[in-house]
Amino acid sequence: MLQLQRDVSLREFNTFGLPATARYVVTIDSEAALLDALALPELAGLPRLVLGGGSNLVLTRDFDGVVLRMAIRHRERLPDNPADPCARYVRGGAGEVWHDFVDWTLSQDCPGLENLALIPGTLGAAPIQNIGAYGLELAERFHEVRALDTTTGAFVTCSRDDCAFGYRDSLFKREPGRYIIVAVTLRLPQPWHAVTGYADVSRTLADAGIAEPDARQIFDAVVDIRRRKLPDPAQLGNAGSFFKNPVVDAATFEALRARFPQAVGYAQPDGAWKVAAGWLIDQCGWRGKTVGNAGVHERQALVLVNRGGATGADIVALARAVQASVRERFGISLDPEPLML
């Protein structure tokens, strides 16, 4: 039975733990529930916010609309496809917790997502952001999504090409609100190959004496790295990496490294360079600094945190101050990852 709640606090529904109230909240646990919710006369014409784990969101005000909390939960390993023998396919509902889903794929002998372990959020949100970490992006394992096109009221299937993935970008970010993802299908290449080129991963495995890791060992290594470097949102409010790593052309990076020989960057296939945003912020002296109730985490300068009692305005003010420092010192602009609402 569809339940429409009114005047609901969103503090527990965002990992920053920021205060805000929604006019309406409705939990969506099936495609039918989604259609029923959108047909409710009370919600006609109201702004909509589709919410998964709330791990990529900064709430700066109350939301005078309806929050659709995605809770569609199912997991399945699809039958092998004779037309594509070099892959295994898995599908899950949009409300599946991402990390739990990755763990489950390994139990199903479907490796390939282990580098993305412990990323907060839900399966349905993963394609929107094109999540990535430790040498892998979701787009590399993506097959298709099933989504409701709110402009037509029909469910559609979007392929990898349809989604137009980019660095922390997708069709769904460029057309916000149009598509509501209800299920995601991933393609996991076979035979499996370990992705261990990222320095932290290779170092952690080497320290453990593992020369030829299996997928579970990479999963465990990534979990260990993230727990050492990043704060647990249940203990200290945050949204993970707050800024994207800026991508600059080769000439800009060469000029940067001429001024700062220790500059951290990663060469891209097209000749551009991805500069480590955390390094830029750290060099500006922000690591561990607190302004009011918001701060920069002491172990990872890329993470902004709620020290307790922070508002969305506090987080935004801190983010803008960090951006201004980096721009002034390095001439590089930082773009936030989370949605500011």
Side-chain angles (χ1 to χ4, degrees):
M1 180 83 179
L2 199 65
Q3 292 187 340
L4 185 63
Q5 299 174 283
R6 188 181 178 101
D7 298 327
V8 178
S9 170
L10 299 177
R11 188 188 295 273
E12 65 179 280
F13 300 146
N14 73 98
T15 58
F16 255 122
L18 300 172
T21 298
R23 184 171 173 184
Y24 292 110
V25 170
V26 59
T27 299
I28 306 299
D29 59 7
S30 67
E31 292 185 6
L34 175 59
L35 294 175
D36 289 345
L38 296 182
L40 289 172
E42 301 97 316
L43 307 185
L46 289 180
R48 290 192 296 262
L49 172 64
V50 179
L51 193 60
S55 60
N56 197 47
L57 180 66
V58 177
L59 294 169
T60 63
R61 56 181 170 80
D62 291 339
F63 184 65
D64 190 23
V66 57
V67 171
L68 303 174
R69 291 196 64 226
M70 300 305 292
I72 301 175
R73 305 289 295 269
H74 64 82
R75 306 168 181 172
E76 58 181 317
R77 176 177 170 176
L78 302 180
D80 292 340
N81 182 356
D84 187 13
C86 295
R88 292 172 182 163
Y89 290 82
V90 291
R91 178 185 295 145
E96 287 287 337
V97 175
W98 171 259
H99 175 69
D100 294 346
F101 187 80
V102 174
D103 193 9
W104 171 81
T105 62
L106 296 182
S107 73
Q108 300 298 303
D109 192 26
C110 294
L113 300 175
E114 54 281 345
N115 292 61
L116 306 181
L118 211 61
I119 292 179
T122 57
L123 179 57
I128 299 173
Q129 187 76 357
N130 185 21
I131 60 173
Y134 302 110
L136 183 69
E137 286 192 340
L138 181 75
E140 299 172 66
R141 301 289 186 260
F142 182 85
H143 180 59
E144 65 184 23
V145 300
R146 178 171 168 84
L148 180 70
D149 184 342
T150 60
T151 62
T152 65
F155 285 99
V156 297
T157 298
C158 299
S159 69
R160 176 177 170 175
D161 288 343
D162 294 333
C163 294
F165 289 120
Y167 173 53
R168 302 297 178 268
D169 195 21
S170 69
L171 165 72
F172 311 108
K173 289 189 74 172
R174 295 186 208 117
E175 298 189 38
R178 176 174 177 179
Y179 298 97
I180 301 177
I181 295 173
V182 295
V184 180
T185 304
L186 300 174
R187 178 186 183 276
L188 308 177
Q190 297 296 313
W192 171 81
H193 294 288
V195 178
T196 59
Y198 202 91
D200 280 348
V201 175
S202 59
R203 186 181 308 116
T204 299
L205 292 168
D207 289 346
I210 302 171
E212 297 184 6
D214 60 26
R216 176 60 69 176
Q217 289 170 322
I218 294 175
F219 175 94
D220 291 341
V222 168
V223 169
D224 179 59
I225 294 165
R226 294 187 71 92
R227 285 180 173 159
R228 281 190 278 113
K229 294 180 63 174
L230 304 173
D232 181 351
Q235 305 297 324
L236 187 64
N238 71 90
S241 298
F242 196 90
F243 298 101
K244 300 177 185 178
N245 291 320
V247 178
V248 300
D249 59 37
T252 298
F253 187 73
E254 287 173 9
L256 175 67
R257 188 159 272 179
R259 292 174 57 207
F260 305 94
Q262 301 304 313
V264 180
Y266 308 95
Q268 303 300 294
D270 62 358
W273 283 79
K274 186 181 291 183
V275 185
W279 181 87
L280 296 171
I281 298 166
D282 202 3
Q283 296 302 302
C284 291
W286 281 102
R287 183 196 291 260
K289 191 172 182 179
T290 296
V291 179
N293 294 318
V296 179
H297 195 249
E298 54 272 12
R299 293 198 306 270
Q300 174 52 270
L302 196 53
V303 177
L304 305 190
V305 298
N306 178 356
R307 297 289 187 195
T311 65
D314 294 332
I315 300 296
V316 171
L318 175 60
R320 288 175 177 167
V322 169
Q323 288 173 302
S325 292
V326 170
R327 191 181 305 112
E328 180 179 355
R329 182 167 188 189
F330 298 106
I332 294 176
S333 296
L334 296 181
D335 293 327
E337 286 195 25
L339 170 67
M340 311 285 188
L341 184 65

